[in-house]
């Protein structure tokens, strides 16, 4: 092989930043979980074992595990029978992790609440359309129950935000798309939109009528009407 050909076939090396030991531990454990070496619910080796395997101190391992807990990948259980366990990821746990992340971002001021409420349009209008197509009898029973509570309550009922959350998250679940449902639940719960409304008797009455219209369209399987009813409702409350 000539020198020119050898030069062309040589690997393209480039400088890479050397990461801290904690970052290396976190990355390797994360990859081991995501590659399936540890399944959902599995217990990780103890901090002492991990420290020996990685050749680092226990505090370094503890920091790495703490970052994985914050990222929602593992959970730590105290006690003799405790340890670090890989999280079991379900739509509910995903929604909870998303909600906590969104809540943290809001509290830090990295996002404005109105940016998140605008995202509701992107999520909930298609969800209403999908719910009209995929809803089950159980979803309809839940929605009817919520609307009946809203219809018969008074404006000073402290449960009003909870009813609103239940209505919108149930529509997310009825969409048949679990990821969409998780995002709707997270954004809606973190922003608590009902608390920003001046809930007068008239506002309460109109909101319930809008919910009834959305529910009627979903129950009839009218996809366009459900999306339009949700859009009208969001135009009013956002």
């Amino acid at each position: 092989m000539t020198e020119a050909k050898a030069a062309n076939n040589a690997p393209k090396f480039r400088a890479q930043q050397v990461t801290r030991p904690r970052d290396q531990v976190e990355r390797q454990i994360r990859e081991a979980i995501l590659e399936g070496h540890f399944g959902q619910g599995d217990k990780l080796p103890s901090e002492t074992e991990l420290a020996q395997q990685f050749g680092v101190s226990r505090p370094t391992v503890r920091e790495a595990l703490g970052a994985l807990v914050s990222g929602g990948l593992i959970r730590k259980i105290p006690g003799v029978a405790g340890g670090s366990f890989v999280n079991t990821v379900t739509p509910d746990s995903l929604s909870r992790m998303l909600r906590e992340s969104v809540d943290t971002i809001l509290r830090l001021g990295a996002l404005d609440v109105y940016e998140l409420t605008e995202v509701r349009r992107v999520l909930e209008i298609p969800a209403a359309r999908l719910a009209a197509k995929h809803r089950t009898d159980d979803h309809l029973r839940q929605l009817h129950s919520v609307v009946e509570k809203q219809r018969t309550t008074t404006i000073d009922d402290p449960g009003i935000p909870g009813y609103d959350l239940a209505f919108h998250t149930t529509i997310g679940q009825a969409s048949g798309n679990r990821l969409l449902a998780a995002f709707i639940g997270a954004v809606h719960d973190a922003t608590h939109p009902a608390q920003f409304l001046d809930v007068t008797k008239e506002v309460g009455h109109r909101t319930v009528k809008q919910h009834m219209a959305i529910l009627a369209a979903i129950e009839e399987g009218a996809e366009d009407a459900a999306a339009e009813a949700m859009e009208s409702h969001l135009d009013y409350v956002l």
Side-chain angles (χ1 to χ4, degrees):
M1 183 181 293
T2 65
E3 286 189 22
K5 286 185 178 180
N8 288 335
N9 292 327
K12 305 297 183 183
F13 293 115
R14 64 178 184 274
Q16 290 186 335
Q17 182 178 2
V18 177
T19 59
R20 296 181 299 163
R22 193 219 78 169
D23 294 335
Q24 294 183 41
V25 173
E26 177 190 347
R27 177 178 55 78
Q28 290 189 55
I29 295 175
R30 181 189 301 277
E31 288 178 356
I33 293 171
L34 296 178
E35 289 174 0
H37 297 293
F38 296 99
Q40 296 186 41
D42 283 355
K43 184 178 180 179
L44 297 179
S46 69
E47 290 181 1
T48 300
E49 291 176 277
L50 289 171
Q52 292 172 349
Q53 290 180 36
F54 283 106
V56 298
S57 66
R58 283 187 63 188
T60 296
V61 170
R62 195 172 299 120
E63 287 182 19
L65 294 176
L68 295 172
V69 170
S70 299
L73 200 58
I74 67 171
R75 67 188 184 282
K76 299 195 76 173
I77 298 177
V80 177
S84 300
F85 295 82
V86 178
N87 270 332
T88 299
V89 180
T90 65
D92 286 341
S93 67
L94 174 60
S95 183
R96 183 172 61 254
M97 288 186 285
L98 289 170
R99 181 172 65 248
E100 290 170 356
S101 297
V102 169
D103 184 62
T104 299
I105 291 171
L106 278 173
R107 294 178 67 180
L108 290 173
L111 278 178
D112 190 286
V113 67
Y114 296 106
E115 292 179 273
L116 288 174
T117 55
E118 282 300 307
V119 171
R120 288 186 60 196
R121 296 181 187 276
V122 177
L123 299 173
E124 296 196 48
I125 293 172
R129 181 185 298 279
L130 288 169
K133 183 177 181 180
H134 298 294
R135 89 290 185 278
T136 64
D137 290 342
D138 188 50
H139 291 134
L140 293 176
R141 279 193 294 270
Q142 292 179 54
L143 290 170
H144 275 292
S145 176
V146 172
V147 169
E148 182 62 19
K149 290 175 183 176
Q150 292 179 310
R151 194 180 65 80
T152 57
T153 193
T154 58
I155 61 172
D156 58 350
D157 183 351
I160 287 176
Y163 303 150
D164 189 59
L165 173 64
F167 181 81
H168 288 276
T169 54
T170 301
I171 290 175
Q173 293 159 9
S175 74
N177 186 308
R178 292 177 293 178
L179 183 58
L180 179 58
F183 274 107
I184 289 173
V187 172
H188 203 285
D189 194 29
T191 55
H192 303 292
Q195 73 182 355
F196 297 104
L197 281 176
D198 182 13
V199 185
T200 62
K201 188 174 181 179
E202 172 60 22
V203 168
H205 180 68
R206 287 192 62 180
T207 300
V208 174
K209 285 190 69 175
Q210 291 166 358
H211 280 190
M212 292 171 67
I214 295 168
L215 173 53
I218 290 174
E219 189 164 26
E220 292 169 6
E223 298 175 37
D224 290 342
E228 290 168 6
M230 179 63 78
E231 185 173 14
S232 296
H233 171 59
L234 296 179
D235 284 342
Y236 181 69
V237 297
L238 296 184

